[in-house]
PDB file of all heavy atoms in Angstrom:
ATOM      1  N   GLY A  10      10.857  24.064 -18.996  1.00  0.00           N
ATOM      2  CA  GLY A  10      10.407  23.768 -20.325  1.00  0.00           C
ATOM      3  C   GLY A  10       9.503  24.832 -20.872  1.00  0.00           C
ATOM      4  O   GLY A  10       8.863  25.595 -20.135  1.00  0.00           O
ATOM      5  N   PRO A  11       9.435  24.946 -22.199  1.00  0.00           N
ATOM      6  CA  PRO A  11       8.553  25.936 -22.849  1.00  0.00           C
ATOM      7  C   PRO A  11       7.091  25.502 -22.852  1.00  0.00           C
ATOM      8  O   PRO A  11       6.793  24.341 -22.612  1.00  0.00           O
ATOM      9  CB  PRO A  11       9.103  26.004 -24.274  1.00  0.00           C
ATOM     10  CG  PRO A  11       9.678  24.646 -24.524  1.00  0.00           C
ATOM     11  CD  PRO A  11      10.210  24.191 -23.193  1.00  0.00           C
ATOM     12  N   TYR A  12       6.189  26.463 -23.151  1.00  0.00           N
ATOM     13  CA  TYR A  12       4.780  26.219 -23.097  1.00  0.00           C
ATOM     14  C   TYR A  12       4.112  27.009 -24.215  1.00  0.00           C
ATOM     15  O   TYR A  12       4.276  28.222 -24.308  1.00  0.00           O
ATOM     16  CB  TYR A  12       4.205  26.639 -21.727  1.00  0.00           C
ATOM     17  CG  TYR A  12       2.760  26.304 -21.513  1.00  0.00           C
ATOM     18  CD1 TYR A  12       2.386  25.095 -20.969  1.00  0.00           C
ATOM     19  CD2 TYR A  12       1.772  27.218 -21.799  1.00  0.00           C
ATOM     20  CE1 TYR A  12       1.036  24.793 -20.740  1.00  0.00           C
ATOM     21  CE2 TYR A  12       0.418  26.935 -21.600  1.00  0.00           C
ATOM     22  CZ  TYR A  12       0.076  25.728 -21.034  1.00  0.00           C
ATOM     23  OH  TYR A  12      -1.254  25.412 -20.824  1.00  0.00           O
ATOM     24  N   ASP A  13       3.378  26.300 -25.104  1.00  0.00           N
ATOM     25  CA  ASP A  13       2.720  26.958 -26.237  1.00  0.00           C
ATOM     26  C   ASP A  13       1.221  26.674 -26.161  1.00  0.00           C
ATOM     27  O   ASP A  13       0.799  25.562 -25.809  1.00  0.00           O
ATOM     28  CB  ASP A  13       3.266  26.426 -27.571  1.00  0.00           C
ATOM     29  CG  ASP A  13       4.735  26.751 -27.746  1.00  0.00           C
ATOM     30  OD1 ASP A  13       5.131  27.830 -27.340  1.00  0.00           O
ATOM     31  OD2 ASP A  13       5.470  25.864 -28.258  1.00  0.00           O
ATOM     32  N   MET A  14       0.406  27.669 -26.547  1.00  0.00           N
ATOM     33  CA  MET A  14      -1.066  27.471 -26.521  1.00  0.00           C
ATOM     34  C   MET A  14      -1.702  28.232 -27.655  1.00  0.00           C
ATOM     35  O   MET A  14      -1.280  29.352 -27.984  1.00  0.00           O
ATOM     36  CB  MET A  14      -1.648  27.941 -25.198  1.00  0.00           C
ATOM     37  CG  MET A  14      -3.133  27.651 -25.092  1.00  0.00           C
ATOM     38  SD  MET A  14      -3.874  28.124 -23.530  1.00  0.00           S
ATOM     39  CE  MET A  14      -4.013  29.875 -23.738  1.00  0.00           C
ATOM     40  N   VAL A  15      -2.681  27.593 -28.261  1.00  0.00           N
ATOM     41  CA  VAL A  15      -3.494  28.225 -29.305  1.00  0.00           C
ATOM     42  C   VAL A  15      -4.970  28.050 -28.947  1.00  0.00           C
ATOM     43  O   VAL A  15      -5.370  26.932 -28.544  1.00  0.00           O
ATOM     44  CB  VAL A  15      -3.214  27.583 -30.710  1.00  0.00           C
ATOM     45  CG1 VAL A  15      -4.154  28.162 -31.732  1.00  0.00           C
ATOM     46  CG2 VAL A  15      -1.777  27.791 -31.113  1.00  0.00           C
ATOM     47  N   ASN A  16      -5.761  29.101 -29.058  1.00  0.00           N
ATOM     48  CA  ASN A  16      -7.177  29.036 -28.740  1.00  0.00           C
ATOM     49  C   ASN A  16      -7.993  29.686 -29.851  1.00  0.00           C
ATOM     50  O   ASN A  16      -7.698  30.790 -30.250  1.00  0.00           O
ATOM     51  CB  ASN A  16      -7.465  29.712 -27.377  1.00  0.00           C
ATOM     52  CG  ASN A  16      -8.944  29.683 -27.051  1.00  0.00           C
ATOM     53  OD1 ASN A  16      -9.603  30.705 -27.114  1.00  0.00           O
ATOM     54  ND2 ASN A  16      -9.461  28.507 -26.745  1.00  0.00           N
ATOM     55  N   LEU A  17      -9.020  28.980 -30.321  1.00  0.00           N
ATOM     56  CA  LEU A  17      -9.947  29.499 -31.337  1.00  0.00           C
ATOM     57  C   LEU A  17     -11.353  29.358 -30.859  1.00  0.00           C
ATOM     58  O   LEU A  17     -11.740  28.299 -30.370  1.00  0.00           O
ATOM     59  CB  LEU A  17      -9.763  28.715 -32.660  1.00  0.00           C
ATOM     60  CG  LEU A  17      -8.385  28.735 -33.302  1.00  0.00           C
ATOM     61  CD1 LEU A  17      -8.348  27.801 -34.497  1.00  0.00           C
ATOM     62  CD2 LEU A  17      -7.995  30.134 -33.737  1.00  0.00           C
ATOM     63  N   THR A  18     -12.140  30.427 -30.937  1.00  0.00           N
ATOM     64  CA  THR A  18     -13.507  30.420 -30.473  1.00  0.00           C
ATOM     65  C   THR A  18     -14.432  31.027 -31.520  1.00  0.00           C
ATOM     66  O   THR A  18     -14.145  32.108 -32.046  1.00  0.00           O
ATOM     67  CB  THR A  18     -13.651  31.208 -29.143  1.00  0.00           C
ATOM     68  OG1 THR A  18     -12.807  30.612 -28.165  1.00  0.00           O
ATOM     69  CG2 THR A  18     -15.083  31.182 -28.668  1.00  0.00           C
ATOM     70  N   ALA A  19     -15.544  30.353 -31.789  1.00  0.00           N
ATOM     71  CA  ALA A  19     -16.594  30.876 -32.661  1.00  0.00           C
ATOM     72  C   ALA A  19     -17.855  31.086 -31.818  1.00  0.00           C
ATOM     73  O   ALA A  19     -18.266  30.161 -31.077  1.00  0.00           O
ATOM     74  CB  ALA A  19     -16.885  29.934 -33.818  1.00  0.00           C
ATOM     75  N   TYR A  20     -18.428  32.273 -31.874  1.00  0.00           N
ATOM     76  CA  TYR A  20     -19.555  32.636 -31.007  1.00  0.00           C
ATOM     77  C   TYR A  20     -20.669  33.273 -31.829  1.00  0.00           C
ATOM     78  O   TYR A  20     -20.429  34.145 -32.647  1.00  0.00           O
ATOM     79  CB  TYR A  20     -19.049  33.607 -29.935  1.00  0.00           C
ATOM     80  CG  TYR A  20     -20.088  34.123 -28.997  1.00  0.00           C
ATOM     81  CD1 TYR A  20     -20.461  33.377 -27.867  1.00  0.00           C
ATOM     82  CD2 TYR A  20     -20.720  35.342 -29.208  1.00  0.00           C
ATOM     83  CE1 TYR A  20     -21.415  33.862 -26.963  1.00  0.00           C
ATOM     84  CE2 TYR A  20     -21.677  35.830 -28.317  1.00  0.00           C
ATOM     85  CZ  TYR A  20     -22.004  35.051 -27.213  1.00  0.00           C
ATOM     86  OH  TYR A  20     -22.955  35.528 -26.321  1.00  0.00           O
TER      87      TYR A  20
END
Side-chain angles (χ1 to χ4, degrees):
Y12 185 88
D13 298 321
M14 184 177 77
V15 175
N16 177 253
L17 301 173
T18 301
Y20 177 84

